[in-house]
């Protein structure tokens, strides 16, 4: 079962988990300073506590913080649970603070100056009181977050700052992040960007204790004492085991960050690192024990990022993404696809970045709730299975489900689990290839005398009391090895969604070499959709001659699946390709560069297999993958069983690379299309020479250690591999109009690639892959039009096969692209160094214009071109929104004012591409 926010609250107060009003306590905080915190501690990275209070004796006070979105649902679970906190003045005297919130040194100012300062401070406080309509008795503020109060009876609220970010932390594990606005260096208002909480493990107190030093704040959740099923009041001096700890560090506190924290948060600003650690035990290794950080979806506005899905929604609020493993798949059981990212940004300026090294990382966004008797009562609910090949095409429903067809839980769930298991995730269970896999690098076993939480408040040498020892024995913990799950994220508060995205991109690893722009200067032509595996030398040369005769633009001829004698054998099939050197020379003369399709797979019985087995070059396994009679073999989209090259083995990588370079030397091959690379294509419970902490390391190695070696290349899979700087293809698309991997998924896939650090996006073949029948004439033309303004184009289904009209329309589209090549090439070179998008969402140009957040069928090329392709069958007029400014038709003379929808829509005939260039 998916953990609830408050399982104890549900037991006591029913399904909603909310106590009756007479048991609720209202919480308030004191604001020490409303000025920018530029004191010495802030500069040195020390933690700055600007507010701290308990909930004792506080009067009711209405919410005072202005929220960016007016339609936030106040009955939302997280919003309901969030502490009610006021932005108010403290009871400190004005003389105790200078204008920057610091305690000044004593001076000999005369009484007149003091009276003037007091009057200014009194007016400032009065303005704050009027602005926030506060009405309560202020409590004393302290800069030390620790307290002697019993955590089981008192909740505490502490507010921290870092740059413009204000993080409100409650001792029950809830956090709210705000963006602070300033006018004339005076803090004027806070805007809510997100509400989050941590899931407290079973057996822990629902309210923790807050402890801190100069650079770190922690909320510790202690083991609960039981008395008739209710929490009992235990004296705080009694030592109790810490079951989980939430550690918070400001991003500016570089000195307090560990080396690995600095690596994945480098250049992130105005926010905090939250590290939630939960103790697990060896006996529960394959349970769903986890560390979970949950964020409310609705209060953060519109969501973007996370990676590619089979059904690609933009924004993500339209999806019900089931909680499942977050690593690259080829049509994953919950919809995740070949490109995966660990960050999300929202329209409120909120960004959440998960540690890319998270063990057994699981993600769900607005996960579907149980809504049938079967799902609620059966152990596995509705089962999702991972399929390969044609089975993916035959799936009745593309995933993730939509929020229109299914009610979701309204949460982003980020989980570090104790393992991959075939268990129920909310309404669904998911069977996938890595169930049962574990790594030696995943968990660190801790000696018994080491506190796994790094507890600041408990003396490390304190002897165990007899009562604690008795409890330990009674719970049979003597022989259980301690392990931990750690879910680490960075939470940022920025002015808007563009600033949040730019900051996250700035933190990502950058490429070290410029990109080959051959794919920009002319379309790529692939043999796949046209010939599938029946490709041979005669067909390749005929294809090239037709392209030349009909005067189509060209750059690359990619020879796809089954050019080789067998999978993994890096040699041409001599029957199908009798004279490879002559074929390549002919293609070069016709103006084509030549690339070959390759994978990391090898079939049994080949020379490559025998050599690889002898030298230990393949991924191993001690168990059989279901459906196979030999360990190490597994299924993929072709029917032949294969093994995978062990990319963690340096010698295996060199062996494979030498084979590819030999093809270049002998035949003049210019580059390669690196297909697959997803860890779903590995044997069950696989073992590699160098243990991997998480399976996405395989994908990263495929991109950064193999593909990156070649100047002309492309990959389709990616995860934390932004430094490879290679073209990243959108996964195989279907020949349909739909959002379910058809034409309407093209722009959302493109935009998602752009904002998660893969700007060199290669859209899949125009018209789709023709797996279940080819595209119609209109679908093909509209697909080519949409692709025209994107970073690269590739054809496989020949336009001339649809007739003269489609052939002429395609040539017209390619002539339009010629006008854009210099711009796209410049943007590509720049983006390959900075990760800045080539194609951008509309909100990039107008990040605070709410009209732009939901537009999923328009995009921008650079900052001065807006493209609005037609993506619906038989549509001849469409709605177009233009950002603020003056815009002219790309192929016309009409001028339109921006900041609004074009009145009456825009006419778009079958041969028209609605596109607009900024004039002002």
């Amino acid at each position: 079962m998916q953990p609830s926010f408050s399982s104890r609250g549900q037991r006591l107060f029913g399904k909603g988990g909310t106590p009756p009003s007479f048991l609720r306590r209202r919480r308030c905080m004191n604001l020490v300073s409303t000025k920018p915190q530029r004191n010495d501690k802030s500069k040195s990275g020390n933690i700055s506590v600007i507010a701290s209070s308990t909930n004792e004796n506080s009067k009711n006070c209405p919410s005072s913080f202005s929220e960016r979105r007016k339609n936030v649902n106040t009955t939302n679970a997280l919003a309901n649970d969030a502490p009610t906190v006021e932005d108010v003045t403290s009871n400190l005297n004005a003389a105790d603070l200078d204008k920057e919130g610091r305690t000044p040194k004593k001076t000999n100012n005369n009484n007149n100056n003091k009276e003037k300062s007091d009057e200014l401070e009194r007016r400032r406080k009065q303005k704050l009181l009027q602005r926030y309509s506060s009405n309560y008795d202020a409590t004393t503020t302290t800069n030390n977050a620790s307290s002697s109060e019993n955590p089981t009876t008192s909740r505490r609220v502490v507010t921290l700052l870092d740059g413009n970010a204000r993080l409100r932390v409650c001792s029950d594990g809830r956090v709210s992040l705000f963006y602070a606005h300033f006018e004339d260096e005076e803090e004027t208002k806070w805007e809510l960007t997100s509400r989050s909480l941590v899931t407290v493990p079973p057996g822990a107190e629902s309210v923790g204790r807050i402890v801190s030093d100069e650079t770190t704040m922690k909320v510790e959740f202690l083991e609960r004492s039981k008395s008739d099923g209710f929490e009992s009041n235990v004296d705080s001096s009694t030592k109790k085991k810490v079951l989980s700890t939430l550690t918070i560090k400001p991003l500016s506190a570089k000195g307090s960050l560990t080396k690995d924290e600095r690596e994945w948060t480098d250049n992130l600003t105005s926010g905090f690192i939250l590290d939630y650690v939960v103790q697990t035990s060896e006996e529960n290794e394959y349970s769903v024990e986890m560390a979970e950080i949950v964020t409310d979806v609705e209060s953060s506005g519109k969501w973007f990022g996370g990676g590619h899905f089979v059904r690609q929604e933009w924004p993500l609020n339209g999806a019900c993404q089931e909680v499942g493993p977050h690593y690259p798949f080829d049509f994953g059981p919950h919809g995740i696809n070949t490109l995966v990212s660990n960050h999300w940004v929202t329209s409120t300026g909120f960004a959440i970045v998960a540690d890319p090294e998270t063990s057994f990382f699981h993600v769900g966004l607005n996960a579907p709730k149980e809504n049938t008797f079967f799902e609620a009562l059966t152990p596995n609910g509705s089962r999702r299975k991972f399929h390969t090949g044609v089975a993916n095409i035959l799936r009745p429903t593309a995933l993730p489900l939509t929020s229109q067809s299914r009610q979701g839980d309204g949460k982003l769930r980020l989980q570090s689990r104790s393992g991959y298991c075939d268990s129920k995730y909310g309404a669904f269970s998911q069977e996938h290839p890595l169930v049962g896999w574990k790594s030696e690098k995943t968990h660190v076993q801790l000696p018994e005398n080491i506190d796994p939480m790094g507890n600041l408040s408990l003396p490390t040498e304190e002897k165990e009391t007899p009562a604690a020892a008795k409890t330990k024995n009674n719970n049979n913990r003597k022989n259980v090895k301690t392990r931990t799950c750690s879910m680490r994220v960075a939470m940022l508060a920025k002015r808007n969604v563009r600033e949040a995205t730019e900051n996250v991109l700035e933190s990502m690893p950058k490429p070290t070499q410029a990109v080959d722009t051959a794919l920009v200067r002319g379309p790529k032509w692939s043999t796949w959709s046209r010939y599938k595996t029946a490709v041979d030398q005669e067909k390749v040369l005929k294809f090239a001659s037709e392209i030349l005769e009909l005067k189509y633009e060209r750059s690359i001829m990619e020879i796809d699946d089954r050019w080789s004698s067998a999978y993994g054998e890096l040699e041409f099939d001599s029957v199908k390709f009798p004279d490879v050197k002559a074929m390549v020379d002919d293609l070069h003369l016709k103006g084509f560069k030549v690339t070959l399709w390759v994978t990391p797979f090898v079939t049994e019985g080949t020379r490559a297999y025998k050599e690889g087995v002898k030298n230990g070059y393949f991924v191993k396994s001690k168990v059989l993958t279901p459906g196979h009679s030999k360990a190490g073999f597994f299924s993929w989209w072709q029917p032949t069983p294969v093994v995978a090259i062990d990319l963690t083995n340096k010698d295996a990588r060199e062996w494979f690379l030498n084979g590819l370079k030999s093809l270049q030397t002998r035949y003049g091959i210019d580059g390669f299309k690196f297909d697959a690379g997803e860890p779903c294509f590995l044997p069950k419970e696989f073992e590699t020479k160098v243990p991997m902490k998480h399976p996405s390391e395989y994908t990263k190695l495929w991109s950064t250690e193999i593909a990156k070696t070649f100047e002309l290349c492309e990959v389709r899979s990616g995860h934390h591999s932004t430094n490879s700087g290679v073209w990243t293809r959108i996964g195989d698309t279907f020949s349909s109009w739909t959002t379910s991997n058809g034409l309407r998924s093209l722009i959302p896939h493109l935009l998602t690639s752009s904002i998660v650090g893969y700007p060199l996006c290669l859209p899949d073949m125009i018209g789709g892959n023709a797996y279940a029948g080819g595209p119609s004439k209109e679908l093909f033309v509209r697909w080519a039009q949409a692709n025209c303004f994107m970073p690269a184009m590739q054809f496989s289904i020949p336009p001339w096969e649809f007739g003269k009209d489609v052939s002429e329309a395609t040539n017209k589209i390619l002539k339009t692209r010629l006008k854009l090549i210099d711009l796209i090439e410049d943007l590509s070179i720049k983006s390959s160094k900075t990760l800045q998008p080539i194609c951008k969402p509309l909100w990039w140009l107008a990040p605070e214009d709410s009209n732009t957040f939901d537009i999923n069928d328009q995009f921008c090329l650079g900052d001065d071109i807006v493209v609005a392709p037609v993506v619906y069958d038989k549509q001849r007029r469409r709605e177009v929104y233009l950002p603020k400014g003056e815009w002219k038709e790309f192929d016309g003379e009409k001028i339109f004012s921006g900041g609004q929808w074009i009145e009456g829509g825009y006419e778009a005939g079958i041969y028209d591409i609605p596109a607009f260039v900024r004039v002002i």
Side-chain angles (χ1 to χ4, degrees):
M1 292 289 291
Q2 196 64 34
S4 64
F5 292 117
S6 177
S7 56
R8 174 167 172 75
Q10 289 191 7
R11 291 196 303 270
L12 294 179
F13 307 117
K15 188 173 182 181
T18 305
S21 58
F22 66 88
L23 289 179
R24 297 178 194 158
R25 288 189 171 97
R26 310 289 291 184
R27 277 81 67 187
C28 296
M29 78 172 192
N30 298 322
L31 184 66
V32 172
S33 173
T34 59
K35 300 272 184 163
Q37 301 297 313
R38 299 189 181 90
N39 52 37
D40 293 338
K41 285 188 176 182
S42 181
K43 289 182 180 179
S44 65
N46 291 346
I47 201 162
S48 298
V49 180
I50 65 170
S52 175
S53 73
T54 68
N55 63 342
E56 298 302 303
N57 301 319
S58 296
K59 297 183 180 180
N60 293 341
C61 49
S63 177
S64 61
F65 299 105
S66 59
E67 297 181 359
R68 194 181 303 259
R69 296 186 55 81
K70 295 181 179 180
N71 62 343
V72 172
N73 181 4
T74 56
T75 62
N76 179 284
L78 271 174
N80 233 6
D81 286 343
T84 304
V85 178
E86 286 272 310
D87 188 6
V88 295
T89 57
S90 76
N91 61 349
L92 294 178
N93 294 326
D96 294 334
L97 298 172
D98 68 4
K99 67 177 181 179
E100 291 185 351
R102 299 175 295 193
T103 303
K105 296 179 181 179
K106 291 185 178 181
T107 62
N108 295 321
N109 291 339
N110 57 41
N111 291 335
N112 290 336
N113 289 338
K114 184 178 183 304
E115 289 175 1
K116 183 177 180 180
S117 176
D118 288 349
E119 177 62 16
L120 289 173
E121 186 66 6
R122 185 189 66 77
R123 291 179 181 178
R124 183 182 67 82
K125 290 184 178 183
Q126 186 178 21
K127 288 170 68 176
L128 280 172
L129 288 169
Q130 291 173 350
R131 181 185 303 128
Y132 298 118
S133 302
S134 59
N135 180 21
Y136 78 107
D137 295 325
T139 55
T140 303
T141 301
T142 174
N143 277 337
N144 185 356
S146 61
S147 172
S148 61
E149 296 162 3
N150 188 344
T152 65
T153 60
S154 176
R155 286 182 174 85
R156 299 189 58 245
V157 176
V158 174
T159 300
L160 313 176
L161 64 86
D162 188 71
N164 286 75
R166 304 290 181 263
L167 187 70
R168 201 172 63 197
V169 184
C170 184
S171 56
D172 60 5
R174 288 170 289 164
V175 297
S176 296
L177 185 65
F178 298 85
Y179 179 82
H181 290 266
F182 291 87
E183 289 182 9
D184 298 328
E185 296 192 349
E186 181 175 343
E187 191 169 319
T188 56
K189 66 176 180 178
W190 293 3
E191 293 196 43
L192 178 71
T193 66
S194 68
R195 288 189 175 100
S196 305
L197 56 78
V198 298
T199 301
V200 180
E205 301 278 11
S206 60
V207 179
R209 62 184 176 191
I210 295 178
V211 296
S212 71
D213 60 12
E214 289 186 346
T215 59
T216 304
M217 196 195 83
K218 298 192 177 190
V219 182
E220 298 176 337
F221 295 93
L222 307 181
E223 186 175 28
R224 181 172 63 232
S225 299
K226 296 182 180 180
S227 176
D228 298 327
F230 290 84
E231 296 177 6
S232 61
N233 296 337
V234 180
D235 185 79
S236 60
S237 62
T238 303
K239 181 173 180 179
K240 295 157 65 174
K241 184 176 181 180
V242 179
L243 297 186
S244 66
T245 299
L246 173 62
T247 304
I248 302 174
K249 302 176 184 178
L251 285 166
S252 61
K254 301 299 182 183
S256 69
L257 305 184
T258 62
K259 180 181 178 181
D260 62 317
E261 285 175 338
R262 289 195 297 271
E263 285 178 355
W264 66 271
T265 63
D266 186 36
N267 293 321
L268 293 179
T269 60
S270 189
F272 303 85
I273 295 178
L274 281 70
D275 184 1
Y276 185 50
V277 179
V278 177
Q279 288 196 41
T280 64
S281 56
E282 190 177 63
E283 64 185 10
N284 293 319
E285 187 169 356
Y286 295 110
S287 74
V288 291
E289 282 189 308
M290 63 186 172
E292 180 183 54
I293 297 176
V294 183
T295 300
D296 179 52
V297 170
E298 189 172 7
S299 60
S300 293
K302 304 297 183 179
W303 288 73
F304 312 92
H308 285 180
F309 293 87
V310 178
R311 183 198 295 275
Q312 190 69 47
E313 298 287 342
W314 180 278
L316 293 171
N317 304 60
C320 282
Q321 178 191 341
E322 299 161 20
V323 178
H326 199 67
Y327 63 83
F329 275 93
D330 180 30
F331 294 86
H334 52 311
I336 196 78
N337 217 3
T338 54
L339 181 65
V340 170
S341 166
N342 279 28
H343 79 264
W344 293 260
V345 295
T346 78
S347 58
T348 62
F350 173 64
I352 184 167
V353 184
D355 180 359
E357 302 290 325
T358 301
S359 300
F360 303 114
F361 191 32
H362 286 67
V363 175
L365 194 150
N366 195 30
K369 294 182 177 180
E370 297 168 336
N371 68 349
T372 68
F373 180 83
F374 174 76
E375 289 175 353
L377 296 184
T378 56
N380 290 317
S382 297
R383 182 174 290 278
R384 302 292 196 198
K385 292 187 178 182
F386 172 70
H387 297 289
T388 59
V390 70
N392 287 316
I393 306 168
L394 300 177
R395 283 183 175 179
T397 304
L399 297 175
L401 300 170
T402 67
S403 57
Q404 288 75 30
S405 63
R406 192 66 181 257
Q407 184 183 6
D409 66 3
K411 317 300 175 193
L412 171 70
R413 297 180 180 275
L414 304 181
Q415 304 171 349
S416 171
R417 295 195 172 215
S418 57
Y420 292 121
C421 51
D422 185 14
S423 64
K424 193 174 181 182
Y425 305 153
F428 299 90
S429 64
Q430 294 172 14
E431 181 183 303
H432 60 96
L434 295 192
V435 169
W437 176 77
K438 59 181 179 179
S439 169
E440 298 172 14
K441 294 171 64 177
T442 299
H443 294 288
V444 178
Q445 184 177 324
L446 302 169
E448 289 185 2
N449 62 332
I450 299 297
D451 180 3
M453 301 299 158
N455 186 359
L456 291 170
S457 63
L458 297 178
T460 55
E461 297 183 0
E462 184 177 344
K463 294 183 179 180
E464 191 177 62
T465 64
K470 182 177 179 180
T471 303
K472 183 176 180 179
N473 292 333
N474 290 341
N475 291 334
N476 298 316
R477 296 200 191 101
K478 278 186 174 181
N479 299 318
V480 177
K481 295 179 181 179
T482 300
R483 298 185 175 201
T484 62
C485 290
S486 173
M487 187 66 244
R488 292 194 298 185
V489 301
M491 291 185 177
L492 315 182
K494 298 291 183 177
R495 180 178 296 274
N496 54 52
V497 62
R498 174 173 174 171
E499 286 190 9
T501 306
E502 286 179 319
N503 192 203
V504 175
L505 293 176
E506 188 181 0
S507 73
M508 291 181 166
K510 304 296 188 300
T512 56
Q513 60 190 32
V515 66
D516 188 307
T517 58
L519 275 168
V520 173
R521 305 204 68 81
K524 167 191 163 185
W525 295 83
S526 171
T527 64
W528 174 247
S529 290
R530 187 177 191 186
Y531 300 119
K532 298 297 190 293
T533 59
V535 64
D536 59 33
Q537 182 171 326
E538 182 182 355
K539 291 174 181 174
V540 171
L541 292 174
K542 179 187 176 184
F543 197 9
S545 296
E546 290 173 324
I547 295 166
L548 200 65
E549 290 169 9
L550 294 169
K551 299 180 181 180
Y552 282 95
E553 297 296 325
R554 56 204 175 277
S555 64
I556 294 168
M557 175 63 74
E558 184 255 320
I559 305 174
D560 213 279
D561 195 350
R562 287 312 303 270
W563 58 268
S564 61
S565 55
Y567 292 119
E569 201 74 279
L570 298 181
E571 185 55 77
F572 277 86
D573 185 321
S574 59
V575 175
K576 298 172 73 176
F577 295 86
D579 193 341
V580 178
K581 187 68 168 64
M583 177 189 70
V584 174
D585 289 345
D586 191 11
L587 290 171
H588 284 162
L589 286 173
K590 286 180 167 67
F592 293 93
K593 291 187 176 184
V594 183
T595 61
L596 298 177
W597 172 90
V598 293
T599 70
F601 307 144
V602 179
T603 56
E604 190 175 14
T606 60
R607 184 178 61 182
Y609 177 77
K610 293 173 184 176
E611 185 178 352
V613 167
K614 179 181 177 181
N615 293 288
Y617 290 159
F618 301 132
V619 176
K620 298 178 175 61
S621 178
K622 295 176 183 177
V623 301
L624 296 178
T625 300
H628 298 274
S629 58
K630 224 172 187 181
F633 283 84
F634 56 90
S635 299
W636 58 307
W637 62 85
Q638 295 293 9
T640 309
V642 291
V643 293
I645 298 170
D646 185 352
L647 300 181
T648 71
N649 185 335
K650 184 178 179 181
D651 293 336
R653 294 199 303 266
E654 289 299 320
W655 170 67
F656 183 60
L657 287 171
N658 288 338
L660 297 177
K661 291 174 182 177
S662 174
L663 288 168
Q664 293 185 303
T665 302
R666 288 181 288 142
Y667 303 122
I669 301 300
D670 297 290
F672 300 93
K673 171 184 176 178
F674 292 95
D675 212 349
E678 301 88 358
C680 61
F681 295 123
L682 291 173
K684 184 177 177 62
E685 298 184 28
F686 68 86
E687 297 177 6
T688 52
K689 182 174 181 179
V690 179
M692 295 191 296
K693 183 176 181 180
H694 58 89
S696 293
E697 289 182 27
Y698 193 86
T699 301
K700 184 177 180 180
L701 289 167
W702 184 235
S703 181
T704 60
E705 298 296 327
I706 302 297
K708 186 181 176 182
T709 305
F710 301 92
E711 185 176 345
L712 181 58
C713 66
E714 64 179 88
V715 297
R716 78 167 187 187
S717 57
H719 189 190
H720 200 50
S721 53
T722 54
N723 59 329
S724 64
V726 301
W727 289 93
T728 304
R729 176 172 65 90
I730 295 173
D732 291 16
T733 50
F734 301 154
S735 299
S736 72
W737 291 91
T738 68
T739 309
S740 302
N741 211 38
L743 174 57
R744 285 199 290 279
S745 72
L746 180 59
I747 295 175
H749 276 131
L750 169 75
L751 297 180
T752 299
S753 293
S754 297
I755 67 166
V756 300
Y758 296 87
L760 298 172
C761 176
L762 173 60
D764 199 33
M765 298 162 195
I766 291 169
N769 284 263
Y771 288 134
S776 66
K777 284 186 177 184
E778 184 163 343
L779 176 59
F780 186 88
V781 171
R782 292 304 195 188
W783 205 305
Q785 291 173 347
N787 205 159
C788 177
F789 288 77
M790 294 181 182
M793 300 179 73
Q794 64 170 321
F795 290 94
S796 185
I797 301 172
W800 55 87
E801 287 191 351
F802 294 98
K804 185 178 179 180
D805 54 341
V806 173
S807 182
E808 291 177 351
T810 304
N811 258 322
K812 179 184 177 183
I813 292 167
L814 291 177
K815 284 183 174 62
T816 299
R817 184 172 175 82
L818 287 176
K819 304 174 186 177
L820 303 165
I821 284 179
D822 290 340
L823 171 63
I824 297 176
E825 188 171 31
D826 289 344
L827 291 172
S828 298
I829 293 171
K830 179 182 177 181
S831 70
S832 69
K833 299 174 183 177
T834 65
L835 303 183
Q836 288 291 303
I838 300 169
C839 293
K840 306 172 181 181
L842 239 60
W843 51 250
W844 197 274
L845 273 58
E848 296 180 19
D849 182 349
S850 60
N851 289 299
T852 64
F853 299 148
D854 289 299
I855 297 175
N856 60 9
D857 57 359
Q858 294 182 220
F859 65 94
C860 306
L861 175 59
D863 291 327
D864 298 316
I865 297 177
V866 171
V867 189
V870 174
V871 292
Y872 287 87
D873 193 13
K874 298 180 175 58
Q875 187 178 42
R876 298 297 181 265
R877 181 177 292 273
R878 64 152 296 164
E879 293 182 339
V880 175
Y881 187 83
L882 295 173
K884 189 176 181 180
E886 297 294 314
W887 300 84
K888 184 180 80 68
E889 291 174 311
F890 185 82
D891 282 325
E893 298 300 326
K894 287 185 180 179
I895 302 292
F896 299 92
S897 295
Q900 60 186 349
W901 296 92
I902 293 179
E903 187 176 353
Y906 185 82
E907 187 174 348
I910 185 62
Y911 301 120
D912 298 328
I913 311 174
F916 308 85
V917 182
R918 187 194 296 275
V919 178
I920 300 176

